[in-house]
Amino acid sequence: MLAFVVYGNTFGVPFLLDDYVFIVESESIRRFALPFFESGAPAQNWIDPRPIADLSFRLNYQISGLDVWSYHLLNVSIHAATAVLLCLVSQQILATRLSGLWSKTAAFASAALWVVHPINTNAVTYISQRFESLAAFFALAALAAFLRSRIGGSKSGQWWCIVFVFASFGSKESNLALPLLIWLLDRFVLPVDDEDRLRRKLFYVLLLAAWCFSGLLYASSQRGEWTQSEGGALLSLGNLKIQSVVVLHYCGKLLWPSCLVFDEGKWPTPAYLRGLLATAVLAAIFGWSVLAVFRGKLPAFAVCSFFLLLAPSSSVVVVPTYDAADYRMYLPSACLISLVAGSLAWALSKLRGQAPRIIFVACTAVLVVCLGAATWRRNQIYNSPIDLWFDNVVKRSLHSGSYVGLAEALMKEGRLAEAENTLSHARKKCPGNARLLNLSGMVAIQDGRETAAIAFWRQALELAPANHVILNNLAIAAYRNGDTAGAADLFAQVVSLRPRDIIALGNLAQVRVTQGELDEAQVLVKRGLDLASQDALLLSLQQRIDAMLLRSDIY
């Protein structure tokens, strides 16, 4: 109920940023079929290693098309269900250290505080970050099933746990530490269990198989290929220094959520001593938590879980998209909130009488109201893309993506002069930025200033010669000006950079048709249709080529 109260003003929030890639521009979600078993899926769709999330987007499209209400309804429902699972899991674990009433009170407080905390708005209100919330839901479902088997004696609990682990990995690969967390919980935190060793070994073998299968699926997918090609090195000790500062930044947001931003962008490299100190502090805390877990300390398990859940995105592993993002704290934040609530409940349980419990509940209620109000206000900003990106510019004035987002939002509203003023200011704050120059060209072309647009794109291309978007813009401008040879050369570069992009293949084929090179155009169209057999534009172009070839044969 709390989730629907604090997120009740989000059902009209429009599609934002990556929503266009994963939903609006994705052809695959328009076909309601199991992702693993359909053929002819568009090559540019990146959801392939995340079939559970993909299937949920397909379901939304069948219900409301591109009307956002059903997407938000499902997002908020997932968030509410995840909070219920957090309450159940916390209660079962805390019951091993606290009395029944105190464990239930602390578990409910943990779930209530977590479900209304503003740090989760990015994962709930931003539609395409359902990847994160779905993965967390299934991770907690796996833990709940395991605890039901381990504590409740359910014979089917372990096997349901395996199913939910697969589902978590099939939503997003961020919870790769989940099997390790289950093992630590089983081996060191929960009371000793003398169940059949063979059955337990089989359970962990299947957990390991789930982990390996998901890793192979991601590595062989188009998203995995993109990550490797765009990101360079996959592991970097230098990244650990940046991420140590980022993790402390996350913790600060959890304590005082006044600096939340929609798009953090690339994180600046911290000063040497600052980065070294942050790394040393976090390494010491993590090392202590591991040693304490081995001694069966429950608070240390919460701390260790926090670090392990963040490890895939905030460690030596290089993530090429963003160095920091609030949605990455979705499940890790639950660990720290449960740690605080559980520790406070444990301390108060040592006192006699009803007063400690009343104080605990009252403090929780006050915090829930305050955090819920902050979440409601934060969600209000999401309703206007212009307000959202302006907030981003104010809080991240050196992040070029903030200005790009604001300018794009202004362009969609037809406010070209304001968009140009925003980009002009941004070019002074962030000089030599190809993305800003490219968007400046797009604003200029919409304003009828083609010469200025081409000049901006050429400057951008000098800074980023392998950027397919800039090359594509210049190619379209050349084609419109009758320079088919120049357009063909530029489109060919785009195809060489993105050989599985059906739009790029179609553009180059169109130019080849204009040049009269029908055989080469036919080869390009065939390549595109092999990747997306039902693409309407490619099919139309194929019919046109066939008709032209038929006429040439007749004459």
Side-chain angles (χ1 to χ4, degrees):
M1 181 62 71
L2 284 173
F4 286 95
V5 170
V6 298
Y7 287 94
N9 59 344
T10 65
F11 292 92
V13 172
F15 292 116
L16 301 164
L17 205 59
D18 288 346
D19 293 343
Y20 286 91
V21 175
F22 294 118
I23 300 172
V24 179
E25 298 170 2
S26 172
E27 291 294 330
S28 70
I29 71 164
R30 288 156 174 75
R31 298 183 296 275
F32 192 65
L34 293 176
F36 278 134
F37 299 102
E38 67 169 328
S39 59
Q44 69 268 34
N45 180 24
W46 290 350
I47 311 181
D48 50 358
R50 302 171 178 179
I52 305 298
D54 188 4
L55 189 60
S56 75
F57 288 134
R58 294 171 191 234
L59 175 63
N60 280 130
Y61 188 81
Q62 295 302 313
I63 294 173
S64 65
L66 294 178
D67 195 347
V68 296
W69 69 265
S70 76
Y71 296 86
H72 287 295
L73 177 61
L74 186 52
N75 273 24
V76 177
S77 299
I78 291 169
H79 186 50
T82 305
V84 171
L85 286 173
L86 175 62
C87 184
L88 293 174
V89 169
S90 298
Q91 192 276 325
Q92 287 184 292
I93 295 176
L94 288 171
T96 63
R97 304 294 193 277
L98 293 173
S99 65
L101 188 56
W102 268 111
S103 65
K104 291 177 182 178
T105 304
F108 183 80
S110 300
L113 290 169
W114 178 80
V115 79
V116 300
H117 201 289
I119 202 169
N120 292 325
T121 53
N122 205 234
V124 181
T125 310
Y126 183 12
I127 295 174
S128 59
Q129 291 315 317
R130 181 183 301 170
F131 297 125
E132 201 73 43
S133 59
L134 257 186
F137 169 78
F138 285 116
L140 287 172
L143 284 171
F146 174 75
L147 289 168
R148 185 183 176 194
S149 170
R150 184 71 162 74
I151 297 175
S154 171
K155 293 183 178 180
S156 62
Q158 286 185 339
W159 315 124
W160 278 111
C161 176
I162 299 293
V163 172
F164 291 136
V165 167
F166 266 108
S168 181
F169 291 163
S171 300
K172 191 176 182 181
E173 58 284 348
S174 56
N175 291 329
L176 290 176
L178 183 57
L180 178 57
L181 291 179
I182 292 173
W183 177 76
L184 289 173
L185 182 65
D186 180 29
R187 177 68 178 79
F188 299 105
V189 178
L190 297 178
V192 176
D193 184 22
D194 295 327
E195 72 167 323
D196 181 41
R197 291 186 179 182
L198 181 60
R199 183 182 176 188
R200 179 174 292 186
K201 287 181 180 179
L202 177 60
F203 169 71
Y204 283 112
V205 166
L206 291 174
L207 268 185
L208 181 61
W211 187 86
C212 293
F213 175 79
S214 300
L216 289 173
L217 175 65
Y218 180 79
S220 62
S221 69
Q222 291 151 21
R223 188 177 180 91
E225 293 171 1
W226 172 80
T227 298
Q228 294 171 33
S229 63
E230 294 290 331
L234 294 179
L235 301 176
S236 169
L237 288 176
N239 191 63
L240 181 62
K241 183 171 65 172
I242 295 175
Q243 290 302 324
S244 297
V245 176
V246 168
V247 170
L248 292 176
H249 178 66
Y250 287 153
C251 294
K253 288 185 176 186
L254 197 59
L255 290 172
W256 193 256
S258 62
C259 54
L260 300 175
V261 293
F262 174 63
D263 182 14
E264 291 274 11
K266 300 298 288 183
W267 199 264
T269 302
Y272 178 78
L273 287 179
R274 184 190 178 199
L276 187 63
L277 180 61
T279 304
V281 169
L282 293 182
I285 296 173
F286 178 62
W288 163 83
S289 70
V290 172
L291 293 176
V293 166
F294 289 161
R295 295 198 296 270
K297 303 297 183 182
L298 183 55
F301 176 73
V303 176
C304 190
S305 299
F306 169 78
F307 283 109
L308 291 177
L309 289 170
L310 269 180
S313 60
S314 298
S315 62
V316 294
V317 180
V318 177
V319 180
T321 48
Y322 305 106
D323 289 325
D326 290 346
Y327 58 77
R328 292 175 183 165
M329 276 288 285
Y330 188 72
L331 189 54
S333 65
C335 299
L336 295 187
I337 291 173
S338 298
L339 170 66
V340 173
S343 299
L344 185 58
W346 175 83
L348 291 175
S349 69
K350 303 300 180 182
L351 303 176
R352 295 180 180 179
Q354 294 296 321
R357 187 175 292 108
I358 294 173
I359 293 172
F360 181 81
V361 172
C363 291
T364 300
V366 170
L367 284 174
V368 165
V369 171
C370 293
L371 291 173
T375 296
W376 179 275
R377 289 196 301 271
R378 180 67 188 160
N379 285 328
Q380 284 289 91
I381 298 176
Y382 277 82
N383 279 280
S384 168
I386 292 177
D387 291 344
L388 182 64
W389 285 112
F390 183 78
D391 177 74
N392 223 91
V393 167
V394 170
K395 294 174 180 176
R396 293 291 180 272
S397 61
L398 296 179
H399 172 35
S400 62
S402 301
Y403 297 99
V404 169
L406 179 57
E408 288 178 341
L410 291 167
M411 283 174 62
K412 288 178 182 177
E413 295 288 331
R415 297 156 64 173
L416 297 181
E418 293 176 69
E420 174 54 36
N421 289 337
T422 298
L423 291 170
S424 176
H425 177 70
R427 291 194 298 270
K428 296 174 183 176
K429 295 278 283 187
C430 310
N433 188 287
R435 192 179 176 194
L436 289 173
L437 290 167
N438 178 62
L439 188 59
S440 298
M442 295 175 69
V443 172
I445 203 75
Q446 285 196 22
D447 201 29
R449 296 179 288 117
E450 186 174 5
T451 303
I454 293 173
F456 278 126
W457 287 332
R458 285 176 176 165
Q459 291 180 56
L461 192 63
E462 291 178 3
L463 296 168
N467 187 297
H468 69 278
V469 176
I470 301 169
L471 287 167
N472 192 70
N473 288 336
L474 280 170
I476 292 172
Y479 185 73
R480 286 175 176 171
N481 289 325
D483 183 8
T484 55
D489 178 62
L490 291 165
F491 278 133
Q493 292 183 58
V494 176
V495 170
S496 67
L497 291 169
R498 297 171 65 83
R500 296 172 60 86
D501 189 332
I502 59 172
I503 296 176
L505 290 167
N507 285 337
L508 181 56
Q510 177 66 50
V511 176
R512 294 305 187 200
V513 168
T514 304
Q515 292 178 319
E517 299 179 18
L518 300 182
D519 291 337
E520 186 175 347
Q522 194 168 39
V523 171
L524 291 166
V525 170
K526 185 179 183 303
R527 282 175 57 186
L529 290 173
D530 287 342
L531 296 168
S533 59
Q534 302 302 316
D535 185 83
L537 292 177
L538 288 176
L539 289 171
S540 174
L541 191 56
Q542 179 66 65
Q543 291 175 358
R544 181 182 172 190
I545 293 171
D546 290 342
M548 294 176 72
L549 287 172
L550 181 61
R551 283 198 300 270
S552 65
D553 289 342
I554 292 174
Y555 292 112

